[in-house]
Amino acid sequence: MTQAAAAPRKDEQLVHALAVGTRQGALFTDDIRCPVHVEDLATALWEIARSGAAGVFHLAGSDALSRFELGEFIARRDGLDPARLPSACRSVTRLPGGLDVRLDSRTTQQQLTTRLRGAREFLSRADQS
């Protein structure tokens, strides 16, 4: 059974538009997150729900990346020039929310059979799923 290519997500669309110059804006170099592949997240959530486990479960990728670094990975994967991506610091804006939001999923990962891939892995050219 073959799987149809998924439509680009909003963050991927933004990276493409910024890289080709059809949209103004910037990707923040100081806004840190731990992206996880959507299929890994959905599978892990299903696994937890079926297990009957209760409590707090952190489900995040292993790589802490800035929004800018994530954009660079997306651009490279999609054949775009990452050097064309504009960058900025979110700390100089008045946007609400934490700058460095890292989740440590090691304890949750030990309870799962689903492996939570980090962005460096799931955005490599070799892994396009």
Side-chain angles (χ1 to χ4, degrees):
M1 178 171 163
T2 60
Q3 191 174 17
R9 294 179 14 173
K10 285 185 180 184
D11 53 350
E12 292 170 328
Q13 291 172 357
L14 173 63
V15 168
H16 287 210
L18 290 171
V20 299
T22 59
R23 181 165 174 186
Q24 291 188 349
L27 298 173
F28 296 127
T29 58
D30 60 347
D31 193 350
I32 309 297
R33 300 294 185 268
C34 297
V36 62
H37 194 283
V38 66
E39 290 179 13
D40 298 348
L41 178 60
T43 304
L45 286 169
W46 183 246
E47 186 177 338
I48 291 168
R50 290 183 50 154
S51 75
V56 175
F57 299 91
H58 290 217
L59 297 170
S62 57
D63 303 319
L65 301 172
S66 71
R67 304 274 184 180
F68 180 75
E69 289 170 312
L70 182 61
E72 289 179 312
F73 277 105
I74 292 169
R76 276 190 213 97
R77 179 201 64 192
D78 296 347
L80 301 168
D81 183 2
R84 293 189 44 101
L85 294 173
S87 64
C89 288
R90 194 178 126 212
S91 58
V92 299
T93 72
R94 292 186 174 177
L95 293 171
L99 287 176
D100 192 335
V101 181
R102 300 173 198 233
L103 293 178
D104 183 348
S105 297
R106 289 177 292 188
T107 300
T108 302
Q109 182 65 80
Q110 292 172 354
Q111 300 173 44
L112 298 172
T113 59
T114 304
R115 193 167 67 83
L116 301 169
R117 294 173 286 169
R120 286 184 172 88
E121 180 180 351
F122 72 75
L123 287 173
S124 72
R125 287 188 180 271
D127 181 11
Q128 299 266 333
S129 63

